[in-house]
Amino acid sequence: MRFFKITLFTVLMVHGVLLQDLSAATLTGVVTDDAGVAIPSATVWVTQNRIVNTLQTDASGKFSMANIDVAMTEVVAYEKGYALGGATALVVGDANVEIKLAVGDLLTLKVIDKQSNPVPGAIIRSMLVSGSFLVSVEDLVPHGLPAIRSDDQGILVIPNLPKEGYIQLVLGHPQFADSSVSYLPVDLEQRNILLLEGKRVGGRVTFEDKGVPGARVSIFKVGPQGQKEFAEVLTDSEGFYHAQVHPDRYSVAAQHEDYASPQPVLLEVPPKGEADPASLAMESPRLIEGSVLYPDKKPCGGARVLFRKEGTIYVDTFTNNEGAFSLRVPGGVGAIGILPPRGFFNPQLEDIKVDLGEARNVAMSPIQLEALPVITGVIQDQDGEAPGPVMVTAMNLPVRYSVLTDELGNLTFPLDFMPYVKKLHLRLEHGKRFQRLDLELPVQNPKPFSEKLKPFEPDLAPRPAVPGRNNLGGLVGEPAPELRGTEWLNSEPVQLESLKGKVVVLLFWAGFDDDMGPVVIHELLSLHKLFADVDDVAFIGIHDASSGADEIRGYIDGYGIPFPILRDEDLQTTFSIYNIVFIPQVVVLDKQGKVRYYQVNDRLLTCIKGLRRE
């Protein structure tokens, strides 16, 4: 069972560098120690679609695997006395990975139940190491990875982990529901992990009343935010599967390369009593074949291709190195979705409807991608003069994204992906004055523009707390509590008292947050650059305590953060004082050192300018 879905449409990884070459399909690599000395006879596991291949490094530390598929690929290297190393990425064509193994460290857990009794026999199903690579422990143990179980006292010792790293892991047990545990720092401190009793659920996957072995059964939790995968298991030789889950409402789906997936079935797991079996009958497949091409008509390998019916994804694959795809789908009406590699988009901007009718095989016309547009323009202030840097923000993308113009107001705004909207809503805001303009441009073929900013009335009123988010209402209008931490990075120690007379922007964050963290950090980097020529605005980051100083330095270097960063105390003292539960969180202090804003979504620049004028 695996909870971690790594979807990196790139071949650049921490702990390993995968280099693209579409001319062939061979994975090669080298395993060395931290000094670059080759490690011979190291074990290397390469996993694609839960199929494990075991390799050994030669005398020069090198390994090779031919006939590699275009697929999400997990590469894990193991040698006694070293920490595990690896890389996880989408591999397209030839790939080369360099893995360095450092000296290993231990993480000690005590697995307990809700009465605090020790739980013996708990195992690790999978773990994500330092946010860099996935180790599908349950799949690798039969191929030589040492198995680990909690002992009679519930103690589970995990060796071979990077010093000052952190892991996310999934623990499993025959009598307890699988438990996902996030961001455990690797250290000598023992940590308690709670397992809750689960209910055994199961069923059978069949085709024409015969069991289907090796089918992938995914169990999704159904909630107000949609479906989220809870677990994945494989059927046995007779097509049966089972799992331990919490009482809840689930959706169960099955996939197998030889059959078409049926409609997912609903699984109700009651608090009392047993759940009914959730069985699925695979269908005779219809075949849809097609290809995806780059704008120059060369084959596009690594494009993600989905088949949906009524919003449910039945098949999810990638184009091969020749740009071709093949989907085994059920009959009826469905739709093909194309998610191109970075820098390109499908000009249709919508899923492609497919009505299979009585056809067993459907050949689609090639789908030719286009390069993502680059939005350009010139922005002037309200008097028609050069405005200095202007912040330009895309307001109607799923994730807001901002860039700065140059001093003359010249804008170059490359899109990272093609949004499913016909017009892009841009907000152009002056860096120092209350002037801005909201502008709509066509997403496809946008023309260069020239616009003047206009005065606007700033929204500087306090906003109420949002349910389910941080509530700092009790601090607003009060002197900001002093920051407390173990060490300062990027700076000598800073006291808020010494920053009176400045507007101070505090960022509570963690480098391992790859959801909204990067978006907010990049916004603050733009604002830091925007106010680089003034002396009344300061930026400070407070990183949570679960990461070591070296790890935080890595995050700082990766983002290129120039402002001071404080590592919180081990008990998360500063986070607690500021009532920070969810990250990232921005807090803005006025020039008197009082907390003024924490609900700053879509108006952070405006709030800073307002406080500068007071």
Side-chain angles (χ1 to χ4, degrees):
M1 298 187 182
R2 302 188 296 177
F3 291 24
F4 310 120
K5 292 296 180 184
I6 300 183
T7 314
L8 301 175
F9 292 96
T10 175
V11 285
L12 180 64
M13 297 292 303
V14 182
H15 296 286
V17 179
L18 298 175
L19 304 175
Q20 252 183 311
D21 178 359
L22 299 182
S23 62
T26 300
L27 174 67
T28 58
V30 62
V31 179
T32 68
D33 63 16
D34 267 347
V37 177
I39 300 178
S41 302
T43 301
V44 178
W45 295 287
V46 180
T47 304
Q48 292 188 312
N49 297 316
R50 299 200 67 171
I51 298 174
V52 180
N53 293 273
T54 305
L55 312 173
Q56 295 287 132
T57 58
D58 61 18
S60 59
K62 295 181 179 179
F63 62 91
S64 178
M65 177 180 164
N67 301 318
I68 197 82
D69 292 330
V70 176
M72 292 304 301
T73 304
E74 303 165 19
V75 183
V76 178
Y78 168 73
E79 177 63 16
K80 288 183 179 179
Y82 293 91
L84 291 170
T88 300
L90 174 66
V91 173
V92 181
D94 271 1
N96 181 260
V97 59
E98 300 174 7
I99 300 176
K100 289 190 175 183
L101 303 186
V103 176
D105 207 345
L106 303 174
L107 175 62
T108 303
L109 308 177
K110 183 171 184 179
V111 187
I112 58 174
D113 62 18
K114 61 183 180 181
Q115 284 81 35
S116 297
N117 298 316
V119 176
I123 63 170
I124 302 172
R125 298 202 186 278
S126 61
M127 60 184 179
L128 182 63
V129 181
S130 297
S132 299
F133 62 97
L134 181 66
V135 183
S136 296
V137 177
E138 196 170 33
D139 293 343
L140 298 186
V141 166
H143 297 269
L145 181 69
I148 305 170
R149 291 182 180 271
S150 56
D151 62 19
D152 290 343
Q153 285 73 48
I155 302 300
L156 190 153
V157 180
I158 309 173
N160 309 113
L161 297 176
K163 288 180 179 291
E164 294 195 349
Y166 65 92
I167 64 170
Q168 295 170 256
L169 56 81
V170 177
L171 288 180
H173 191 279
Q175 296 178 340
F176 295 84
D178 285 3
S179 177
S180 178
V181 185
S182 298
Y183 312 120
L184 291 170
V186 179
D187 54 29
L188 298 178
E189 180 182 347
Q190 179 177 298
R191 298 171 186 273
N192 291 343
I193 303 297
L194 175 66
L195 291 186
L196 299 176
E197 290 187 11
K199 283 184 171 289
R200 184 183 174 94
V201 299
R204 194 182 190 200
V205 178
T206 60
F207 177 71
E208 296 181 347
D209 297 326
K210 294 182 180 180
V212 177
R216 297 173 65 167
V217 178
S218 297
I219 302 174
F220 297 91
K221 184 173 287 188
V222 180
Q225 303 300 319
Q227 292 187 355
K228 180 179 181 182
E229 186 170 55
F230 180 81
E232 180 185 279
V233 294
L234 298 178
T235 56
D236 63 18
S237 60
E238 297 296 323
F240 291 99
Y241 75 91
H242 70 269
Q244 293 281 341
V245 302
H246 303 294
D248 212 323
R249 192 167 180 255
Y250 299 90
S251 176
V252 183
Q255 286 189 353
H256 192 283
E257 61 181 6
D258 295 334
Y259 307 100
S261 297
Q263 182 176 353
V265 299
L266 190 63
L267 173 62
E268 296 276 2
V269 183
K272 296 181 180 180
E274 300 300 320
D276 293 331
S279 296
L280 299 103
M282 307 299 284
E283 298 186 19
S284 179
R286 312 287 188 93
L287 189 64
I288 300 177
E289 294 180 303
S291 61
V292 179
L293 307 176
Y294 284 115
D296 60 4
K297 297 187 178 181
K298 291 182 179 180
C300 173
R304 190 177 175 199
V305 184
L306 313 172
F307 178 79
R308 309 180 227 249
K309 292 181 72 172
E310 298 178 353
T312 298
I313 296 175
Y314 283 67
V315 185
D316 183 350
T317 189
F318 294 98
T319 55
N320 64 19
N321 294 309
E322 287 72 46
F325 64 86
S326 178
L327 303 171
R328 286 176 171 81
V329 304
V333 179
I336 304 286
I338 306 293
L339 283 71
R342 202 168 208 166
F344 301 91
F345 74 103
N346 174 13
Q348 297 187 48
L349 288 182
E350 294 179 351
D351 288 351
I352 303 166
K353 296 258 174 71
V354 178
D355 186 351
L356 296 168
E358 298 299 320
R360 306 299 303 181
N361 299 289
V362 174
M364 298 181 60
S365 300
I367 299 163
Q368 188 167 342
L369 304 177
E370 293 184 9
L372 282 171
V374 177
I375 295 171
T376 59
V378 179
I379 303 167
Q380 299 174 327
D381 68 14
Q382 65 182 34
D383 299 319
E385 302 294 331
V390 173
M391 179 166 277
V392 180
T393 303
M395 303 297 289
N396 62 335
L397 297 183
V399 176
R400 285 185 300 110
Y401 179 62
S402 300
V403 297
L404 293 179
T405 69
D406 64 14
E407 292 284 342
L408 299 177
N410 296 308
L411 172 68
T412 301
F413 193 135
L415 291 180
D416 257 357
F417 65 95
M418 178 56 70
Y420 281 84
V421 295
K422 293 185 177 180
K423 291 188 176 181
L424 190 64
H425 175 193
L426 297 182
R427 173 161 292 173
L428 324 175
E429 184 163 354
H430 198 291
K432 308 294 171 61
R433 305 173 195 158
F434 290 124
Q435 298 178 20
R436 80 177 177 210
L437 182 70
D438 283 342
L439 184 66
E440 283 194 340
L441 295 173
V443 169
Q444 290 182 271
N445 303 315
K447 305 298 183 187
F449 67 86
S450 179
E451 297 285 349
K452 287 184 181 181
L453 300 177
K454 299 178 181 179
F456 74 98
E457 190 65 31
D459 172 15
L460 298 174
R463 293 178 179 174
V466 176
R469 299 300 300 168
N470 296 317
N471 186 349
L472 278 67
L475 292 175
V476 173
E478 299 295 326
E482 196 55 72
L483 307 178
R484 296 166 56 180
T486 59
E487 53 198 307
W488 285 89
L489 309 170
N490 267 12
S491 168
E492 295 297 320
V494 177
Q495 297 289 322
L496 293 181
E497 182 68 26
S498 69
L499 297 178
K500 286 187 176 180
K502 299 176 184 277
V503 176
V504 180
V505 180
L506 303 178
L507 169 65
F508 291 85
W509 69 295
F512 54 70
D513 170 26
D514 58 3
D515 184 13
M516 290 302 299
V519 177
V520 174
I521 290 171
H522 283 114
E523 182 182 14
L524 262 65
L525 292 176
S526 294
L527 289 170
H528 184 271
K529 183 178 179 180
L530 186 63
F531 291 106
D533 61 343
V534 303
D535 59 4
D536 64 345
V537 181
F539 296 82
I540 296 176
I542 303 93
H543 195 286
D544 92 327
S546 66
S547 298
D550 288 343
E551 186 181 337
I552 298 173
R553 287 189 187 95
Y555 296 137
I556 291 171
D557 292 342
Y559 282 112
I561 297 174
F563 48 81
I565 299 293
L566 173 67
R567 179 182 182 270
D568 200 0
E569 293 182 341
D570 289 336
L571 296 179
Q572 305 283 20
T573 306
T574 304
F575 270 62
S576 297
I577 291 173
Y578 278 83
N579 199 28
I580 305 298
V581 178
F582 304 97
I583 54 173
Q585 174 66 58
V586 174
V587 180
V588 188
L589 315 183
D590 64 20
K591 292 185 177 182
Q592 288 71 48
K594 295 180 179 180
V595 175
R596 291 291 296 275
Y597 300 107
Y598 71 99
Q599 300 284 23
V600 293
N601 187 37
D602 76 18
R603 61 167 186 163
L604 178 54
L605 172 57
T606 302
C607 291
I608 294 172
K609 291 188 294 187
L611 294 178
R612 289 188 71 213
R613 288 196 172 189
E614 289 186 357

